[in-house]
């Protein structure tokens, strides 16, 4: 309680005053002498992904008290994907600043970060990494699956699939309304391998959760037991002074990247891992990550790359089952929040059992990692594609560009019956990058033009400087860097240009010569977006590109510690 005293010029008086106020809430001196465990309470009526917060808090506080600590929860920002305009990503860095500064400002010996929905876990890990205290992540857990006319459904791969059917007029308004009632069957995060599930698995792979902390669904007893254990471990971490810098090491980030590739994880996972690593002083080497992908198969059979849902993964043993298969590729000596290594925790988890969700290493659902990195004159700083969710027939493809200048242009013209577009064209969307939109929205999953969808076209090559939801599928090139809004080559693509994609060669090429591109750039110079005031001004002035995690430049660690992965 005597940490970080408010400045009144008299330390004794500051502590006296603080204790007087907290005693107003009924605390005794004996309670205040315990290790203080701060808890970020991210419950919000706008965030059903965190809708189990009251139960989680109760179980977590029980664990803290059992181990002799004092739990102190406090509110921070809470961000839900569907309730954040213009995009939740615009607020991720703000939430990380909120989390970091409240950890710094308030007295605590360790912090429990409760998060689940896509941007919350990255924001919390970024903030905690910068704050430097002992920290432990508690995931809210996935939602249950629902049933539409006896077909199992869950957000949000099935949301997109059914919406595609509705657009193609395969189902009517009444049926799509029925589907809407079934897609989210309980509180909790999306039930497929979207960004939330990806970040839950990454948090466990980083060693930032208790063992088994990634997979229990939100409303289960297992999730509450994870919460209780998290409380216990938080107190032990506080006593042992197990700082986050001992856990978020280069080895931990490498383990997390292995897992990202092996689960067919969301492409957003790369952006978030890059940002978290950046807070610890590490730069992500996309070339090395791509090499790592060549030797890391996708083993997890979850939508959108496979068939199952998060609750099935949990029934199959969760992360322990996956990590057992990946063991030869992992740094087993990486430390976790329990004070034991990843290898020790895997040993403690036992031998495993027969199941159908995590494939054996030699029988993968996809022979390489889920994500491939592309380079070329269209993306000098790199671009990525989720190859495990792409159409194999389109992964080697050359086509004519059909260009949309921004999201508004896309909305206006994509369904125009007069749009000059064919199934083998390549749809290009500009200005949805970090500065362009701003906030790099998940608009990279361009819809198939209605007239083509009605004709049965399910996939086309699509390219943008934006992101895509981890729940989406298709042959979609994302994170083109530098983005159009800062004058990247994407800014100068025109309808009718030819583009060649070769995932095998890791290439994305605009088949227009340099002289013509230079002429276009001179004729139409890009004016970077600005804002007059407020958070938007800060955002536009300081946000970095995708290859630096779309973090604010002033939040990255000032001391650089090298590159990750080193594979
Ligand atoms: Fe929260 Fe999908 S909307 S995890």
């Amino acid at each position: 309680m005597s940490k970080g005293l408010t400045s009144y010029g008299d330390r004794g008086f500051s502590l006296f005053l603080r204790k007087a106020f907290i005693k107003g809430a009924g605390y005794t001196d004996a309670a205040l002498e315990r290790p203080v465990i701060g808890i970020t309470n991210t419950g919000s009526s706008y965030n059903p992904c965190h809708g189990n917060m009251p139960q989680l808090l109760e179980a977590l506080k029980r664990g803290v008290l059992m181990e002799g600590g004092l739990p102190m929860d406090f509110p921070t920002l809470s961000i839900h994907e569907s309730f954040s305009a213009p995009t939740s990503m615009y607020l991720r860095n703000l939430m990380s600043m909120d989390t970091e500064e409240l950890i710094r400002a308030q007295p605590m010996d360790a912090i429990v970060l409760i998060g689940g929905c896509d941007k919350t876990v990255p924001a919390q890990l970024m903030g905690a990494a910068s704050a430097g205290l002992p920290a432990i992540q508690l995931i809210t857990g996935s939602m249950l699956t629902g049933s539409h006319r006896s077909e199992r459904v869950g957000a949000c791969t099935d949301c997109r699939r059914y919406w595609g059917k509705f657009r193609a007029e395969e189902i009517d308004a009444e049926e799509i309304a029925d589907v809407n009632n079934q897609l989210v069957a309980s509180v909790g995060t999306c039930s497929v391998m979207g960004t939330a599930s990806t970040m839950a698995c990454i948090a466990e792979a980083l060693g930032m959760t208790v063992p088994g902390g990634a997979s229990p669904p939100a409303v289960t007893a297992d999730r509450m037991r994870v919460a209780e254990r998290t409380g216990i471990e938080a107190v032990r971490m506080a006593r042992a002074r197990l700082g986050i810098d001992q856990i978020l090491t280069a080895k931990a980030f490498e383990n997390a990247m292995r897992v990202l590739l092996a689960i067919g994880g969301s492409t957003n996972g790369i952006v978030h891992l890059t940002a978290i690593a950046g807070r610890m002083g590490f730069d992500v080497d996309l070339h090395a990550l791509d090499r790592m992908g060549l030797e890391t198969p996708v083993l997890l059979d979850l939508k959108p790359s496979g068939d199952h849902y998060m609750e099935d993964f949990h029934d199959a043993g969760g992360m322990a089952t996956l990590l057992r298969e990946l063991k030869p590729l992992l740094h087993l000596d990486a430390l976790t929040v329990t004070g034991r290594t990843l290898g020790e925790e895997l040993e403690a988890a036992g031998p495993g059992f027969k199941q159908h969700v995590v494939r054996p290493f030699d029988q993968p659902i996809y022979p390489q990692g889920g994500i491939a990195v592309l380079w070329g004159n269209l993306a000098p700083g790199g671009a990525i594609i989720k190859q495990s969710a792409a159409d194999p027939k389109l992964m080697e493809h050359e086509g004519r560009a059909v260009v949309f200048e921004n999201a508004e242009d896309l909305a206006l013209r994509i369904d125009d019956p007069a749009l000059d577009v064919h199934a083998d064209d390549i749809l290009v969307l500009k200005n949805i990058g970090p500065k362009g939109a701003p906030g790099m929205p998940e608009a990279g999953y361009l819809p198939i033009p209605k007239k083509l969808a009605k004709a049965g076209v399910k996939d086309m090559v699509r390219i943008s400087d934006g992101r895509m939801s981890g729940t989406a599928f298709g042959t979609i090139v994302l994170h083109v860097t530098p983005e159009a809004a800062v004058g990247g080559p994407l800014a100068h693509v025109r309808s009718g240009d030819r583009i060649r994609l070769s995932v095998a060669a890791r290439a994305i090429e605009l088949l227009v010569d340099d002289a013509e591109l230079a002429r276009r750039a001179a004729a139409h110079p890009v004016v970077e977006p600005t804002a007059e005031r407020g958070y938007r001004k800060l955002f536009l002035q300081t946000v970095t590109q995708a290859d630096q995690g779309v973090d604010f430049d002033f939040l990255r660690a000032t001391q650089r510690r090298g590159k990750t992965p080193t594979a």
Side-chain angles (χ1 to χ4, degrees):
M1 271 295 153
S2 58
K3 287 188 171 164
L5 288 170
T6 312
S7 303
Y8 294 119
D10 176 341
R11 286 185 56 82
F13 178 69
S14 295
L15 182 58
F16 173 75
L17 206 59
R18 173 175 288 175
K19 286 177 87 172
F21 279 113
I22 198 76
K23 283 180 176 174
Y27 289 88
T28 62
D29 282 317
L32 299 175
E33 279 160 14
R34 291 178 164 207
V36 178
I37 307 301
I39 300 167
T40 61
N41 180 343
T42 49
S44 159
S45 297
Y46 287 107
N47 195 348
C49 295
H50 294 201
N52 57 346
M53 194 61 57
Q55 295 79 21
L56 280 178
L57 279 172
E58 187 185 334
L60 172 61
K61 288 182 175 181
R62 184 168 66 240
V64 172
L65 292 167
M66 281 165 63
E67 195 63 17
L70 176 65
M72 299 284 287
D73 67 299
F74 58 95
T76 72
L77 277 184
S78 183
I79 308 170
H80 185 276
E81 286 304 292
S82 296
F83 291 93
S84 309
T87 167
S88 59
M89 188 65 172
Y90 180 64
L91 298 173
R92 183 202 63 178
N93 298 347
L94 184 63
M95 182 174 175
S96 83
M97 290 166 74
D98 180 19
T99 304
E100 175 184 345
E101 294 308 325
L102 288 180
I103 294 172
R104 285 186 195 285
Q106 302 172 129
M108 62 189 77
D109 299 292
I111 177 73
V112 179
L113 310 152
I114 311 183
C117 197
D118 293 15
K119 305 304 174 296
T120 60
V121 172
Q124 291 177 327
L125 290 175
M126 290 160 70
S130 297
L133 273 193
I136 184 167
Q137 183 81 52
L138 174 58
I139 301 294
T140 59
S142 60
M143 62 181 70
L144 300 179
T145 51
S147 175
H148 170 64
R149 300 182 184 173
S150 282
E151 189 190 340
R152 196 178 184 203
V153 293
C156 231
T157 304
D158 298 320
C159 313
R160 296 174 198 286
R161 189 163 57 82
Y162 273 96
W163 190 250
K165 284 186 180 194
F166 178 60
R167 278 177 58 82
E169 298 177 10
E170 291 171 24
I171 63 173
D172 60 18
E174 194 179 334
E175 182 167 355
I176 196 71
D178 284 350
V179 173
N180 194 252
N181 279 333
Q182 297 305 323
L183 286 165
V184 179
S186 75
V187 295
T189 57
C190 288
S191 54
V192 297
M193 191 43 74
T195 305
S197 304
T198 299
M199 291 310 300
C201 295
I202 280 178
E204 186 167 344
L206 283 169
M208 287 299 300
T209 73
V210 299
S215 62
V219 297
T220 60
D222 276 352
R223 175 53 63 196
M224 296 311 138
R225 279 188 278 272
V226 165
E228 185 186 285
R229 168 121 193 244
T230 300
I232 291 169
E233 296 296 348
V235 180
R236 292 178 181 167
M237 288 180 84
R239 290 209 173 101
R241 297 201 162 85
L242 180 55
I244 197 166
D245 58 330
Q246 292 169 262
I247 296 170
L248 293 184
T249 59
K251 288 181 177 177
F253 285 113
E254 250 179 77
N255 286 342
M257 286 177 206
R258 285 275 178 217
V259 164
L260 171 66
L261 294 163
I263 61 178
S266 163
T267 46
N268 291 322
I270 290 185
V271 177
H272 297 320
L273 258 177
T274 304
I276 299 162
R279 296 295 185 99
M280 296 304 296
F282 296 107
D283 295 305
V284 169
D285 181 344
L286 287 175
H287 290 273
L289 177 69
D290 190 65
R291 283 197 297 277
M292 194 185 236
L294 296 175
E295 56 177 33
T296 312
V298 177
L299 300 180
L300 187 53
D301 190 358
L302 244 66
K303 292 187 175 206
S305 300
D307 287 329
H308 295 92
Y309 294 87
M310 273 304 274
E311 58 195 88
D312 307 320
F313 180 37
H314 182 58
D315 293 345
M319 283 292 285
T321 306
L322 180 85
L323 295 173
R324 231 178 258 121
E325 291 298 327
L326 289 177
K327 217 168 165 180
L329 297 177
L330 296 172
H331 295 289
L332 296 172
D333 56 342
L335 201 60
T336 77
V337 286
T338 62
R340 289 180 292 277
T341 65
L342 191 66
E344 288 168 335
E345 291 298 354
L346 262 181
E347 282 302 309
F353 49 86
K354 193 167 168 9
Q355 47 77 41
H356 306 287
V357 181
V358 179
R359 298 277 187 89
F361 192 85
D362 54 359
Q363 295 168 37
I365 68 161
Y366 194 81
Q368 298 181 359
I371 295 168
V373 187
L374 309 170
W375 284 271
N377 67 345
L378 191 53
I384 58 169
I385 184 168
K386 188 169 181 178
Q387 52 178 345
S388 59
D391 182 345
K393 293 193 291 294
L394 288 173
M395 297 217 291
E396 305 296 316
H397 184 77
E398 184 187 318
R400 187 184 66 138
V402 175
V403 176
F404 301 91
E405 291 301 321
N406 50 44
E408 293 74 34
D409 184 32
L410 176 80
L412 270 177
R413 295 195 295 124
I414 189 75
D415 288 338
D416 184 344
L419 181 68
D420 178 15
V421 63
H422 304 282
D424 56 358
D425 288 339
I426 293 179
L427 304 179
V428 176
L429 176 57
K430 304 177 183 177
N431 291 306
I432 59 163
K435 290 195 183 186
M440 207 181 180
E442 290 182 343
Y445 178 75
L446 280 71
I448 303 293
K450 203 164 188 171
K451 66 180 182 184
L452 296 180
K454 281 167 74 174
V457 176
K458 299 274 189 249
D459 194 9
M460 296 173 72
V461 176
R462 288 159 271 181
I463 300 173
S464 75
D465 46 12
R467 295 176 303 115
M468 133 175 131
S469 164
T471 62
F473 51 89
T475 313
I476 300 176
V477 177
L478 303 155
H479 309 184
V480 168
T481 303
E483 64 176 311
V486 299
L490 187 68
H492 307 299
V493 183
R494 292 183 181 168
S495 286
D497 290 348
R498 309 273 314 165
I499 294 175
R500 187 185 301 137
L501 166 69
S502 170
V503 179
R506 301 293 195 259
I508 183 81
E509 298 287 349
L510 176 62
L511 305 180
V512 174
D513 64 47
D514 291 348
E516 169 60 13
L517 282 179
R519 197 188 62 73
R520 291 180 189 178
H524 300 281
V526 168
V527 180
E528 288 195 27
T530 56
E532 289 279 307
R533 61 165 296 281
Y535 179 66
R536 196 178 178 98
K537 181 171 183 174
L538 176 75
F539 190 99
L540 290 173
Q541 285 181 343
T542 63
V543 75
T544 57
Q545 294 288 290
D547 57 354
Q548 293 198 3
V550 195
D551 201 359
F552 294 155
D553 55 12
F554 64 92
L555 293 175
R556 285 163 55 82
T558 49
Q559 280 194 335
R560 309 313 296 169
R561 296 165 65 190
K563 291 192 171 188
T564 184
T566 51

